[in-house]
Amino acid sequence: MNALWEKRERGRAQDALAAVMRERSHIIETIPDLLYKIDVEGNLLLWNRQAEIISGYNAEELFGRSASSFFSAHDRVRVEEAIVAAITNGYSELEADLVTKDGRTIPFHFSGSPILDQNGSVLGLTGIGRDQTERRRAEEERSQLHKQLEQAQKMELFGQLTGGIAHDFNNILAAILGFTQLAMGRAEMLEDGALNSYLYEVERAGERAKSMIGPMLSFS
């Protein structure tokens, strides 16, 4: 009787474990991140379904391929160094551009840690990769907004400066034109035609300068 009960309990436990494993497999296959396992030489051994969807490569094309070969030329050395660092130091991470089968580049943040046997020897490396496209887009938008804000602040400061100069210039011109008109009246009384013509040119120049103040104030 006890043997039969123990057999049933073992059966239930095995069924429960199998259910847990199926659920774990489902979770692994449906998460949006890349999960991977590579050997100590950097060759791909295992991956989740998302790796095939994103990269565009099927299982036959992925298995045994060098992990660094999935990246742009300027990132390959960094990827190989990160693999060595993870195996040596126990953890490593980097950002690199993954190149898909159709030639698209996707920014990813990768992290990895070594797989050890019972003696502590490194068997390979396992890790996760997360798409950074949205994060980079948000950073670029923030950068553009920051530049626009800086430009707006510069223009505001320039406008304030222009307005201050225009007001001061207007006051100076008012004094110049006022005294010029007084001098022209004195020249007429003295019947000094030459002096009056000189003062007339001064007045004309002052009026032209005064006409520039309006646009300056409008800009400010």
Side-chain angles (χ1 to χ4, degrees):
M1 188 71 177
N2 289 337
L4 180 61
W5 181 84
E6 290 177 358
K7 183 177 180 180
R8 288 177 178 176
E9 288 300 311
R10 283 198 301 271
R12 292 194 185 102
Q14 290 173 351
D15 291 342
L17 178 59
V20 169
M21 296 300 291
R22 286 194 299 270
E23 291 179 6
R24 186 176 70 173
S25 177
H26 177 72
I27 292 172
I28 291 173
E29 292 301 324
T30 55
I31 62 172
D33 298 325
L34 303 182
L35 298 179
Y36 59 90
K37 175 185 176 182
I38 59 178
D39 61 23
V40 292
E41 296 179 352
N43 300 315
L44 195 60
L45 298 178
L46 292 173
W47 55 89
N48 64 341
R49 176 60 181 159
Q50 194 67 12
E52 297 181 19
I53 295 173
I54 292 176
S55 71
Y57 293 99
N58 59 38
E60 290 77 13
E61 294 170 318
L62 291 173
F63 183 76
R65 182 170 170 176
S66 172
S68 63
S69 67
F70 293 99
F71 297 88
S72 55
H74 69 276
D75 280 335
R76 287 174 187 168
V77 173
R78 295 176 53 244
V79 171
E80 292 170 357
E81 291 174 346
I83 292 173
V84 173
I87 293 174
T88 304
N89 303 324
Y91 180 79
S92 180
E93 59 182 339
L94 86 158
E95 283 199 11
D97 292 336
L98 180 74
V99 181
T100 65
K101 188 175 181 178
D102 59 8
R104 293 178 296 112
T105 59
I106 305 175
F108 267 86
H109 177 272
F110 290 93
S111 60
S113 55
I115 304 169
L116 306 178
D117 64 12
Q118 295 178 348
N119 299 319
S121 299
V122 178
L123 299 176
L125 180 72
T126 186
I128 185 170
R130 179 158 295 175
D131 191 339
Q132 300 298 301
T133 302
E134 291 301 323
R135 195 210 70 186
R136 287 196 184 180
R137 183 180 292 116
E139 288 177 350
E140 290 175 359
E141 290 176 355
R142 285 196 297 270
S143 177
Q144 288 297 324
L145 289 174
H146 183 68
K147 290 178 181 178
Q148 292 174 6
L149 177 60
E150 286 185 338
Q151 182 65 18
Q153 291 173 336
K154 290 178 182 178
M155 294 301 294
E156 181 181 5
L157 180 61
F158 185 58
Q160 293 173 351
L161 179 62
T162 302
I165 292 174
H167 283 295
D168 292 341
F169 192 36
N170 188 53
N171 294 334
I172 294 171
L173 283 176
I176 291 173
L177 291 172
F179 282 110
T180 299
Q181 290 171 356
L182 292 174
M184 289 174 69
R186 179 61 62 88
E188 289 178 0
M189 291 176 58
L190 298 174
E191 298 181 351
D192 189 336
L195 177 59
N196 195 54
S197 65
Y198 298 153
L199 293 171
Y200 175 72
E201 293 300 326
V202 173
E203 184 182 38
R204 285 185 61 193
E207 290 295 341
R208 287 197 300 271
K210 187 176 181 180
S211 68
M212 298 170 60
I213 295 175
M216 292 174 67
L217 289 174
S218 297
F219 173 78
S220 68

